[in-house]
Amino acid sequence: MSLFDEIIDRRGTDSYKWDTTAPGVTPMWVADMDFRTAPSIIEALQRRVDHGIFGYTAVPDSYYRAIKRWFERRHQWTMDTGNIIYTPGVVPALSAIIKAMTNPGDKVICQIPAYNCFFSSIRNNGCILTPNRLAGSEDDGFTIDYENLEALAADPDTRLLLLCNPHNPSGRVWTADELRRVADICLRHDLFVISDEIHCELTYPDHDYTPFATVAPHGLRWAACFSPSKAFNIAGLQIANTLACDETTRTLIDRAVNDNEVCDVNPFGVIATIEAYENGERWLDELRGYLWGNYMYLKDAFNALPQYPVADLQSTYLVWVNIAASGISSDRLEEILREKAAVRVASGGIYGSDSHLRINIACPRKILADALHRIIPVLKSVSVVE
């Protein structure tokens, strides 16, 4: 039995995932996991709790050393830690960077479908979203529409590309060649690139994450955002990091971070980050194996419904399912699954696709199996394509 098979009751803990979902309904929507984090992280946090004083925290040098060693060892990315800025999360960082690098009315490109907070970060800074829709499909694989990207980048009002690497919600891991092609387009048109790399640790067989920084050509301005929050299930500890391409860019971003008052972090986030990057590797690799097993279990279940193609999951624990065969909007089908299958998934509408659902499979396999046992018959009953 895997340690990830343990079923932990999260109701009554003020869990956003569980306690905002109706009793009796299985939540498989928001992106957090139903697994305890690595034991070494829990132990490190317990030692800090035992101290009993929780004042303002200073981020120590050991924090930056842990980040540097982790990314060098696992991803062959040697970063200048002097250009790292910490924030309470990746989303606040994205918003601060957009503020630093654009003016109201500027256009911002992102690949659609996209993580829904991209839309609000762009809008709240007074910028205009210009969608670069992914090409391809679940059957032949999603890819970037480079011709459209080039055309959008050539618009003189376009200032920035907000990239998701790996991509949420499609689950794609962009290859080094794909990222180089994106970087070359952005360099030619003088676009700033923000690369959201929060899912970088959650990749699966034959798909390796490439840090955007390692392929960015000289002269391209960029910032990369990352956090241990998704991979180690510590999002509630609210900590993330941004690496800027140079000191000038770091200074601009740091000013916006302070203007937005997202410059402080809590001691538990600092401790958990150090512990994750220093001692969490074995646990993480076991987690990735378990999540891959969950994905294969879901794929097998959906073999009974070939009219609902499932995207190739190369990263994340969020499965992208095409529900066009239902003839129903994603918002309505999400409601039907809650009502008839007692499962809450995420409507693709909030990510920019009305023909998809996003299913979070980061749970013990028994919970996944029970949920799929209810989901499959409902999807079959509403299908207009047999």
Side-chain angles (χ1 to χ4, degrees):
M1 178 176 172
S2 167
L3 74 158
F4 302 108
D5 283 320
E6 181 184 3
I7 296 176
I8 301 164
D9 185 3
R10 298 184 63 189
R11 290 198 183 271
T13 65
D14 297 321
S15 162
Y16 184 62
K17 179 180 181 180
W18 283 84
D19 288 330
T20 64
T21 299
V25 176
T26 302
M28 304 181 78
W29 60 293
V30 69
D32 79 4
M33 299 190 288
D34 293 325
F35 310 126
R36 286 194 179 95
T37 190
S40 65
I41 293 177
I42 297 172
E43 292 164 8
L45 293 173
Q46 187 62 59
R47 290 192 295 271
R48 185 65 182 82
V49 168
D50 289 343
H51 182 262
I53 301 175
F54 311 114
Y56 299 117
T57 191
V59 177
D61 290 342
S62 58
Y63 177 86
Y64 300 100
R65 288 196 299 270
I67 293 170
K68 184 179 180 69
R69 286 195 293 258
W70 175 271
F71 282 93
E72 284 179 341
R73 183 174 68 253
R74 283 188 74 94
H75 306 300
Q76 297 73 57
W77 179 13
T78 299
M79 58 179 69
D80 179 355
T81 56
N83 287 328
I84 288 179
I85 302 168
Y86 53 78
T87 63
V90 164
V91 172
L94 298 178
S95 294
I97 300 167
I98 293 172
K99 180 176 182 177
M101 296 302 165
T102 65
N103 293 308
D106 287 345
K107 294 179 179 179
V108 175
I109 302 169
C110 72
Q111 278 74 41
I112 305 295
Y115 174 45
N116 54 300
C117 287
F118 283 13
F119 305 144
S120 56
S121 290
I122 294 167
R123 181 180 62 250
N124 292 344
N125 279 286
C127 293
I128 300 166
L129 168 68
T130 53
N132 174 223
R133 288 206 164 268
L134 294 183
S137 67
E138 292 77 16
D139 293 328
D140 56 12
F142 292 105
T143 187
I144 293 169
D145 184 340
Y146 297 102
E147 183 177 347
N148 177 250
L149 177 60
E150 183 92 48
L152 295 175
D155 185 332
D157 292 331
T158 302
R159 295 286 182 269
L160 188 146
L161 169 68
L162 181 46
L163 178 73
C164 198
N165 172 44
H167 188 264
N168 170 24
S170 75
R172 265 302 315 273
V173 174
W174 306 123
T175 66
D177 286 343
E178 287 173 315
L179 292 174
R180 285 191 193 97
R181 193 167 176 185
V182 169
D184 288 344
I185 291 172
C186 292
L187 179 63
R188 280 198 298 276
H189 299 286
D190 193 28
L191 299 192
F192 190 89
V193 179
I194 305 174
S195 186
D196 174 358
E197 307 194 349
I198 196 169
H199 289 284
C200 68
E201 305 303 340
L202 297 172
T203 57
Y204 302 116
D206 302 319
H207 298 287
D208 295 325
Y209 150 72
T210 299
F212 182 80
T214 63
V215 300
H218 178 72
L220 179 66
R221 298 169 303 137
W222 55 265
C225 301
F226 53 93
S227 171
S229 60
K230 293 300 180 193
F232 290 92
N233 204 27
I234 54 173
L237 301 184
Q238 295 194 309
I239 195 158
N241 298 286
T242 295
L243 179 69
C245 59
D246 54 36
E247 186 176 352
T248 300
T249 302
R250 185 200 183 281
T251 300
L252 290 171
I253 295 172
D254 190 54
R255 179 69 269 156
V257 164
N258 281 271
D259 287 347
N260 286 7
E261 303 292 355
V262 289
C263 48
D264 293 321
V265 291
N266 72 70
F268 300 108
V270 173
I271 290 164
T273 297
I274 295 171
E275 191 62 34
Y277 288 155
E278 288 189 343
N279 298 305
E281 197 157 10
R282 181 176 177 180
W283 180 91
L284 175 62
D285 288 338
E286 290 178 4
L287 168 71
R288 291 163 67 218
Y290 191 89
L291 291 172
W292 180 248
N294 274 2
Y295 172 65
M296 297 305 292
Y297 189 97
L298 179 144
K299 281 276 287 183
D300 184 64
F302 269 82
N303 284 339
L305 293 171
Q307 65 269 40
Y308 293 101
V310 175
D312 181 27
L313 189 66
Q314 301 175 4
S315 179
T316 82
Y317 46 74
L318 307 164
V319 181
W320 194 233
V321 181
N322 189 317
I323 52 90
S326 69
I328 300 171
S329 73
S330 57
D331 285 350
R332 179 58 186 139
L333 187 53
E334 184 271 330
E335 291 177 353
I336 290 171
L337 286 173
R338 264 190 289 162
E339 294 164 0
K340 297 187 176 181
V343 178
R344 184 180 180 184
V345 298
S347 165
I350 65 171
Y351 310 111
S353 176
D354 199 37
S355 59
H356 287 82
L357 297 175
R358 196 188 76 168
I359 303 175
N360 178 350
I361 60 169
C363 59
R365 198 155 299 151
K366 185 179 187 303
I367 292 178
L368 176 64
D370 289 346
L372 289 171
H373 183 71
R374 301 192 299 274
I375 288 172
I376 298 300
V378 173
L379 288 180
K380 189 171 185 179
S381 71
V382 299
S383 176
V384 297
V385 179
E386 293 293 345

